[in-house]
Amino acid sequence: MIAYIKGVVGELSPTEAVIEAAGVGYQLAISLNTFAALQGKETAKVYVKEVIREDAHDLFGFFSKEERTLFEALTSVNGIGGATARMVLSAFAPAELAEVIQSEQTAMLKSVKGIGPKAAARIVLDLKDKIGTLLSNGTIDVAPSAGGGIATADKERAEEAISALSTLGFQPAAVRKVVAAILKEEPGLDVQQIIKRGLKEIK
């Protein structure tokens, strides 16, 4: 079992990262939170969860242990696979997701692509107590995760770009993560530039 991979960030996109360690490039499926955290880094330590099925051997990568813990919790819910869990983790930072589940905000969960009313209810029912335990023992920190903020100077343009991209049919939560990552990498971009970058990077 692979616990983590520490090495060079060889390739990076909003959905995948390739981390090179000891001459081997490991292709990892990642969330938008991890994408934002890895932006601009030449080397990184990425926590890993292996998902092995008869027809596939997938590696999911996470910038924090908290995110990996929540991924494991989500995939323990009947009907929630790795791809859907990654979508949920792209929509919410770990602390945000813990709060959503704890406060039974099924409407927020239903806003994530692939999560219907029944799945949202199952997530809350199955994980509320588990998340409470993880919060109380410090496994999940209530502090916001790193990498998601938008600088005050960029906020007005960011909101315009988020609104425009959301109107085009992209999930608002996913759009916000990508726009934050874009402006972290290149502060000061105008609205049109943010939208053009966003169209290329949002999956």
Side-chain angles (χ1 to χ4, degrees), residues 94-173:
E96 293 170 336
L97 179 57
E99 172 61 25
V100 164
I101 294 171
Q102 276 274 282
S103 54
E104 301 184 23
Q105 297 180 50
T106 54
M108 291 283 283
L109 290 169
K110 286 190 294 183
S111 71
V112 179
K113 183 179 178 181
I115 300 293
K118 289 182 180 179
R122 276 199 306 271
I123 289 170
V124 169
L125 180 65
D126 290 2
L127 300 185
K128 185 178 179 182
D129 289 345
K130 184 181 290 186
I131 295 299
T133 301
L134 293 172
L135 286 167
S136 64
N137 67 19
T139 302
I140 297 175
D141 193 346
V142 294
S145 66
I150 296 172
T152 303
D154 291 321
K155 277 188 176 176
E156 187 174 336
R157 281 171 282 116
E159 290 301 329
E160 283 187 53
I162 289 165
S163 176
L165 289 164
S166 299
T167 301
L168 291 172
F170 295 104
Q171 286 291 89

Side-chain angles (χ1 to χ4, degrees), residues 52-117:
I52 301 172
R53 305 190 307 271
E54 285 186 14
D55 59 342
H57 183 174
D58 297 322
L59 297 178
F60 290 85
F62 310 94
F63 190 72
S64 69
K65 283 185 177 180
E66 294 173 324
E67 193 179 32
R68 182 175 64 182
T69 297
L70 285 168
F71 177 87
E72 291 170 340
L74 285 166
T75 53
S76 73
V77 177
N78 186 37
I80 305 296
T84 302
R86 180 176 63 166
M87 289 290 289
V88 175
L89 290 166
S90 290
F92 305 103
E96 293 170 336
L97 179 57
E99 172 61 25
V100 164
I101 294 171
Q102 276 274 282
S103 54
E104 301 184 23
Q105 297 180 50
T106 54
M108 291 283 283
L109 290 169
K110 286 190 294 183
S111 71
V112 179
K113 183 179 178 181
I115 300 293

